[in-house]
Amino acid sequence: MADEAAAERPAEPAPAKPQDARPAEAPPRGGARGDDRVKDAPDGTEAPAPAESADDEAAEKERERERAADRFKGLTRDPLAEDEGEKEPAVAAAAERARRAGQKLLSSGRDFIGFDRSDVGRLHIGDINLGLDARRSGPLRDGPVPEEELLRIRRTHIEPTGYVRLRRALESRRLLVLGGAPGTGRTSTALALLEEVTRDHGGARGGEGVRRTGTENGARERVRRAAPEEGVRALAREVAGGEGGHLRGTGYLLEPALDRPGALPPDGMDLDRLASALAERGSYAVIVVSVGSAANPLLAGRYGAICPPAPTRELVAVRLRERLEEEHGGPERDGDGRGSGDPAPAPAPAPVQAPDGNRDAGGGQGRVPDGNRDTGGSRDTGGSRDTGGSRESRDHDRGADGGLGGDLGGDLGADGDLDPHRGRGLGEGRGEGQGGDLGGGRGGGRGGSGGATLDDLLERAAALRADPEVTEAVGLDDLRPAEAELFASLLAGHLLGTLGREELLSGCRGLAAVQAYEWFAGVDRALAAPPAGDGRTPTRSGTAALFHPVAFRIALAVLGGASHSAVSAAAHLLTWELSVQSDPDSTPSRPLFCDDPESDLSLSRARPADGTVDVAGAEVSGRLIYYRGAALPAAVLAELWDRHFPVRAPVVRWLRLLADDPRPQVSMRAAVAAGELSVRDFEHGYAELVRPLAEAPTPRRRVFAATALDQAAGHASHRRAVRKVVDDWSRYGTASLRWTAAMALGYGRSADSMDDTLDALARIGVRDDGEQLAVASLNVVRLLTLPECATVLRRLADWTGHRGEEYQDLALVTIVRMALTQVDEVLDDEPGTPLGDRGDWPLLLALAATRPDLTGRLADLFWTALNTGRSRDVALDALEDLLRSASRGDGRERTRAGLAALLPALTAEEHDRRRLDWLLRRMMRDQDRPLTEEQARALWWLAVPARQRRSEEEESHG
């Protein structure tokens, strides 16, 4: 077996002078080798054995060679495949793209929120003490809305698009069901409508002087809140029977608890009875509901209307001007003063106008005069108020998601509405001065303006709003009313010197965290309460309907950027898990035809977008979905994991289900999110997610665990722990753990250095007769896309000269795999880089084209695979694939530049050129995919300079 041993030893003996130092032009290959005994048969036919050799010995040698070649070919198959099928490079490429998208989704640096989260219900930033206890305080009870609050609403409320239409509907039908997402200003709009339609009703108003002093009961009951628990039926009975002594013309605000388990929404007949009772009493009512399956039938009826989002772009400007005027003392306020009896927490209210007078006489910041109030037309065309069309035009110009650069707008912030009880609490408890306003009575507040005029401050405020660092800190595409209030106060505080820049940025970063807190705080508290007793028996527990909006927000935080259908399906899976965890004795049920995708978007501050989805290796158009703000995904996951420990168990079960999803857009995004959750509590994440999935029998689950580990390794705080885990697995782990460790090492962050990474991969690959050699070689190839590529090539050259055959096989399999793998399958980078722009190139050619300093090493390594017996056949097939990749099917150039760099170095010697000549002739004779003479000639000219071409070779290639 001496000849066979010679054929099977490494093609490049361990040299005293490294091959890496050879020039790329014509690298010498060293001395003759047993495998180089090739005449005119480049397919590897060796010289005849001695005459005395028996035929059976020659046959046995041939069978042994074929077995070795077959074993080697098996090692080059995709170790990620679930079966023995062929490799699917497009699936691997889709997985890398999905992983990058998931990392970008959670890369806002908000995994550790920058303010004290021990009590997120109150946020103290500099001199701003903000109360955010909307959920903790519970729903507001029934009772009159203070007249002072109605005055403030009248002065400061900014009308959204379609406000006139809402007012006319309320005036004509007496009842309006107003729907919208929490936090979009719907309650503020409802109060503004009720304040307006009840203003001219003498019986309720109680006279001008009464209303100003607030000393008589009539002035206090112009607008009332109805108890949410009573519902529409109880309110109808109360109005019809004149209960409570309420005067005619009273306006009622009702926010029914439709999401309470067991609660049944009112039907059309209930609304008709209430409207009839209101008409008899000359009263009005607005019912505020959240969009969703429970409220949608109400909104679709005759009384229903969607509340447009508050124009917070203008709200920010108005509130900012108010704050600056209050501190700076704008000229329009200098002689205004307050009434002696007005407690006015806001800027001084204007003198109360006559019913048909100018609403804002005296300088309210929110409204503009509109002339005569008695005719509907005056609202649209009279005075200085915009017509309906002009308002539509202005709102269209503002855009639904007017970003923070230049103009902040639209739809962001805390889940609670801009309630009058919260609107002025931004400076609550700040001592002297103007109630809750910034800097009231503080000498230091004035010093920050440096004597600048109000116009100067407003100009600086506009520049500060457009500051990229401020925009990034906010991390939200749009602002909702309460957030606009806080943001205006933060900007004003910084301009006036009461807040430093870090305090400003910290406050801006808190907006997304507060929104996440509002979304999750006390969601299932209603499950502990008895169902409302209205005489009807509820038909289902309601846990699924209660948890679905929460589940959708979590699914969107994990899978943002995936298709809308994928996020929705994942949300339904999580809804089931949450429902079972909350009520294990009941089987959750959910109607099949009651979903409302638009409601899901509205309730979760999400936006759809047209994009592409990877399906079976092809990109097809699809409807994607994202949060309206880069800060929300991380804020949602942080809130979920840090504050709600009971929810961890169902979320872990859900993530394990996503790990089995065959779509990379789902499984890889979920793996990245699992890594981020593990960072927040590594003990729990390792025990419940990483370790169990790392030992799973399926490659898909192990890839999930490896990706989660790498995501955790991206955080300096956890890098050391991850590296210890991976190192232990590579040394002492089971076969499954070693496999997972190899995949984690392939990302390049799970060891202290590139040499340590390669040592660990070699340790995994050579153990147990190369049981894990395939996955080890795959991850060595992945490392070639990193900046330390030269170190990887050096180690490959060392392994080819190693005395152990397992090390030689690891090197040879890696070399062949490098030629068979496309860049997209292994590249951890975005397009726009030298390798990223060559995503569909074989990695070997892409490296040769982009790294000319490495061309000689690449050629030497591939030459070694071509001239070693057990790897020769697979390497020749790989070389054929490389040659065919020179141009695309339509004739356009593809990898020609890479071949032009690699082939001259690969064919520097005569027998190498003969092999190429033989391979080109074989490709021309291929009956399935024949190579044309023109193509063969072009490839030959790329490889062989004109001075080295032989006449017979020229003839064979045209």
Side-chain angles (χ1 to χ4, degrees):
M1 300 293 291
D3 293 341
E4 182 64 16
E8 293 297 321
R9 71 175 181 267
E12 293 292 333
K17 181 179 180 181
Q19 298 178 22
D20 303 341
R22 297 183 191 130
E25 293 76 18
R29 304 295 183 185
R33 297 178 37 80
D35 281 339
D36 296 342
R37 295 181 288 118
V38 182
K39 300 299 183 183
D40 292 327
D43 59 347
T45 305
E46 299 179 359
E52 61 271 13
S53 297
D55 292 342
D56 56 349
E57 182 179 352
E60 179 62 26
K61 289 175 60 178
E62 180 62 22
R63 286 193 294 271
E64 182 69 23
R65 190 189 69 81
E66 290 177 355
R67 284 195 293 270
D70 289 342
R71 176 180 176 274
F72 187 89
K73 185 175 182 179
L75 293 174
T76 62
R77 290 195 177 99
D78 185 8
L80 306 182
E82 298 283 351
D83 50 31
E84 294 301 319
E86 291 298 321
K87 183 180 181 181
E88 297 184 51
V91 174
E96 280 300 318
R97 286 193 291 270
R99 173 176 168 270
R100 291 198 299 269
Q103 288 178 323
K104 184 184 299 184
L105 185 73
L106 298 171
S107 65
S108 61
R110 297 167 182 273
D111 51 328
F112 295 103
I113 303 302
F115 61 86
D116 182 11
R117 296 179 52 81
S118 61
D119 185 11
V120 80
R122 296 198 67 81
L123 177 59
H124 183 79
I125 305 168
D127 288 327
I128 300 177
N129 190 16
L130 176 62
L132 297 165
D133 295 331
R135 281 195 181 273
R136 290 185 178 181
S137 61
L140 292 172
R141 309 302 300 176
D142 59 326
V145 177
E147 189 69 14
E148 292 81 4
E149 297 298 345
L150 294 178
L151 287 174
R152 192 190 67 81
I153 285 287
R154 175 185 170 188
R155 289 184 54 256
T156 63
H157 181 258
I158 300 177
E159 298 176 0
T161 304
Y163 180 87
V164 174
R165 184 176 64 254
L166 297 177
R167 178 179 61 81
R168 289 174 176 170
L170 179 59
E171 290 174 335
S172 63
R173 298 190 178 96
R174 300 280 175 169
L175 175 63
L176 181 66
V177 179
L178 194 61
T184 55
R186 54 190 186 157
T187 301
S188 180
T189 299
L191 286 171
L193 289 167
L194 290 171
E195 190 278 332
E196 187 170 341
V197 298
T198 62
R199 186 185 311 159
D200 298 336
H201 200 289
R205 191 179 65 179
E208 184 70 24
V210 172
R211 185 158 62 91
R212 290 197 60 182
T213 61
T215 58
E216 296 188 12
N217 186 58
R220 293 179 176 273
E221 299 200 6
R222 192 154 65 92
V223 177
R224 292 185 57 87
R225 287 182 179 274
E229 301 84 4
E230 295 180 2
V232 171
R233 301 173 192 87
L235 180 60
R237 290 193 298 270
E238 178 181 326
V239 173
E243 300 176 11
H246 305 154
L247 299 178
R248 294 180 61 84
T250 299
Y252 297 90
L253 174 65
L254 174 64
E255 300 183 62
L258 298 181
D259 58 350
R260 182 171 178 169
L264 296 175
D267 53 29
M269 294 183 63
D270 296 325
L271 296 178
D272 288 339
R273 280 193 288 268
L274 175 58
S276 177
L278 291 168
E280 291 178 4
R281 299 285 298 174
S283 298
Y284 303 89
V286 178
I287 301 174
V288 175
V289 297
S290 293
V291 292
S293 59
N296 284 349
L298 303 179
L299 296 173
R302 75 181 72 177
Y303 304 104
I306 296 295
C307 181
T312 50
R313 173 189 191 178
E314 295 149 5
L315 184 60
V316 170
V318 167
R319 297 297 182 262
L320 183 58
R321 175 179 284 271
E322 286 181 0
R323 301 294 189 268
L324 294 176
E325 287 176 349
E326 289 160 11
E327 182 69 19
H328 190 272
E332 59 272 55
R333 295 203 177 274
D334 288 343
D336 202 354
R338 292 199 175 103
S340 59
D342 285 342
V352 179
Q353 65 188 54
D356 57 350
N358 189 318
R359 291 190 306 163
D360 282 316
Q365 295 295 327
R367 302 219 184 197
V368 282
D370 65 344
N372 191 332
R373 302 305 309 253
D374 295 334
T375 62
S378 66
R379 293 282 301 194
D380 296 330
T381 60
S384 62
R385 181 175 300 278
D386 293 331
T387 64
S390 64
R391 164 126 358 227
E392 294 285 351
S393 175
R394 285 166 48 201
D395 287 330
H396 177 74
D397 293 339
R398 178 174 64 246
D401 52 357
L404 294 172
D407 285 320
L408 280 157
D411 180 31
L412 166 55
D415 205 355
D417 289 329
L418 183 56
D419 194 284
H421 296 287
R422 295 178 54 196
R424 282 296 185 184
L426 294 171
E428 180 183 355
R430 293 177 49 206
E432 63 187 78
Q434 300 178 4
D437 295 329
L438 248 169
R442 291 179 52 94
R446 294 184 185 274
S449 63
T453 65
L454 179 60
D455 289 340
D456 292 337
L457 289 176
L458 291 174
E459 185 177 348
R460 288 168 52 194
L464 185 59
R465 290 166 61 183
D467 188 328
E469 193 173 10
V470 173
T471 301
E472 191 279 333
V474 173
L476 296 165
D477 293 350
D478 316 299
L479 291 178
R480 288 181 172 175
E483 296 164 344
E485 292 268 1
L486 175 58
F487 184 60
S489 294
L490 291 169
L491 293 177
H494 180 64
L495 291 171
L496 297 171
T498 59
L499 290 180
R501 185 168 181 84
E502 287 306 316
E503 290 177 307
L504 167 66
L505 297 177
S506 179
C508 291
R509 294 187 187 103
L511 294 175
V514 170
Q515 171 67 99
Y517 166 78
E518 293 276 345
W519 273 341
F520 292 103
V523 167
D524 56 350
R525 188 175 293 125
L527 291 176
D534 61 355
R536 292 187 287 179
T537 302
T539 57
R540 58 190 176 90
S541 67
T543 55
L546 181 67
F547 287 129
H548 179 70
V550 175
F552 191 88
R553 292 163 188 154
I554 299 172
L556 184 56
V558 171
L559 303 179
S563 65
H564 194 167
S565 61
V567 174
S568 181
H572 282 292
L573 284 177
L574 182 56
T575 299
W576 173 278
E577 295 293 343
L578 294 174
S579 301
V580 170
Q581 185 77 12
S582 177
D583 187 8
D585 295 331
S586 301
T587 301
S589 62
R590 182 169 180 82
L592 300 179
F593 299 99
C594 291
D595 272 3
D596 183 358
E598 296 305 319
S599 296
D600 288 340
L601 295 177
S602 179
L603 292 172
S604 300
R605 298 182 70 162
R607 63 177 176 87
D610 293 331
T612 59
V613 180
D614 289 296
V615 179
E619 290 189 350
V620 297
S621 60
R623 188 172 188 254
L624 312 183
I625 183 173
Y626 299 86
Y627 268 118
R628 298 183 68 87
L632 286 172
V636 166
L637 294 183
E639 173 68 25
L640 178 75
W641 220 241
D642 292 349
R643 286 187 164 271
H644 306 283
F645 297 106
V647 84
R648 288 186 176 188
V651 170
V652 164
R653 293 195 299 268
W654 174 67
L655 288 173
R656 290 180 181 179
L657 291 174
L658 298 187
D660 294 325
D661 197 294
R663 296 168 294 181
Q665 66 163 326
V666 174
S667 58
M668 294 304 289
R669 282 181 167 88
V672 171
E676 288 296 317
L677 294 176
S678 297
V679 168
R680 306 204 68 82
D681 187 347
F682 193 72
E683 177 189 20
H684 185 272
Y686 176 80
E688 298 295 330
L689 276 171
V690 176
R691 180 64 184 254
L693 294 179
E695 294 185 303
T698 61
R700 187 174 286 118
R701 285 197 160 199
R702 297 197 293 265
V703 169
F704 184 100
T707 304
L709 272 178
D710 174 73
Q711 188 68 18
H715 295 261
S717 58
H718 289 70
R719 194 167 297 144
R720 182 177 179 182
V722 171
R723 290 175 177 177
K724 180 66 166 59
V725 167
V726 172
D727 184 70
D728 287 348
W729 287 359
S730 71
R731 295 177 185 274
Y732 318 115
T734 62
S736 295
L737 291 178
R738 295 198 307 274
W739 196 99
T740 306
M743 291 301 301
L745 288 163
Y747 290 114
R749 296 192 292 196
S750 296
D752 292 334
S753 66
M754 182 58 71
D755 280 322
D756 290 340
T757 301
L758 292 167
D759 286 340
L761 285 171
R763 189 162 54 241
I764 295 170
V766 303
R767 181 173 169 178
D768 298 336
D769 297 327
E771 179 184 3
Q772 307 287 352
L773 191 145
V775 70
S777 71
L778 170 64
N779 287 284
V780 175
V781 171
R782 293 171 66 196
L783 296 174
L784 287 167
T785 63
L786 301 179
E788 301 92 335
C789 175
T791 302
V792 181
L793 296 180
R794 174 178 57 78
R795 293 297 295 274
L796 285 175
D798 292 343
W799 291 342
T800 60
H802 200 281
R803 294 183 179 181
E805 186 173 306
E806 293 83 3
Y807 282 91
Q808 299 172 19
D809 284 345
L810 177 59
L812 293 170
V813 171
T814 302
I815 293 165
V816 173
R817 193 182 297 281
M818 177 171 47
L820 297 173
T821 301
Q822 291 186 2
V823 172
D824 270 347
E825 300 176 54
V826 293
L827 181 65
D828 188 15
D829 203 355
E830 293 285 350
T833 61
L835 283 180
D837 291 338
R838 295 169 173 80
D840 63 343
W841 283 35
L843 179 59
L844 178 62
L845 296 182
L847 289 173
T850 59
R851 298 288 302 272
D853 57 310
L854 301 179
T855 302
R857 301 184 189 186
L858 295 167
D860 281 350
L861 291 171
F862 196 61
W863 183 90
T864 300
L866 286 169
N867 288 277
T868 301
R870 56 186 179 275
S871 61
R872 180 187 300 118
D873 292 345
V874 179
L876 273 174
D877 291 341
L879 179 58
E880 179 176 343
D881 290 341
L882 295 178
L883 295 173
R884 291 187 183 277
S885 71
S887 59
R888 305 182 187 276
D890 57 4
R892 292 183 296 118
E893 184 176 304
R894 183 184 170 196
T895 65
R896 181 180 178 86
L899 288 168
L902 181 70
L903 288 179
L906 190 62
T907 59
E909 299 181 3
E910 179 64 23
H911 72 277
D912 299 324
R913 291 191 290 274
R914 289 202 306 269
R915 176 170 49 219
L916 178 62
D917 172 65
W918 172 84
L919 182 58
L920 289 173
R921 284 188 277 116
R922 189 182 77 172
M923 293 169 64
M924 293 172 65
R925 294 193 299 268
D926 191 317
Q927 294 185 0
D928 296 327
R929 294 187 303 164
L931 196 68
T932 66
E933 291 184 2
E934 182 181 359
Q935 291 171 329
R937 185 189 311 115
L939 292 171
W940 177 253
W941 286 353
L942 284 178
V944 182
R947 63 180 182 276
Q948 297 179 358
R949 298 172 192 160
R950 294 164 43 192
S951 59
E952 62 271 19
E953 290 165 342
E954 290 283 352
E955 292 176 2
S956 67
H957 306 307

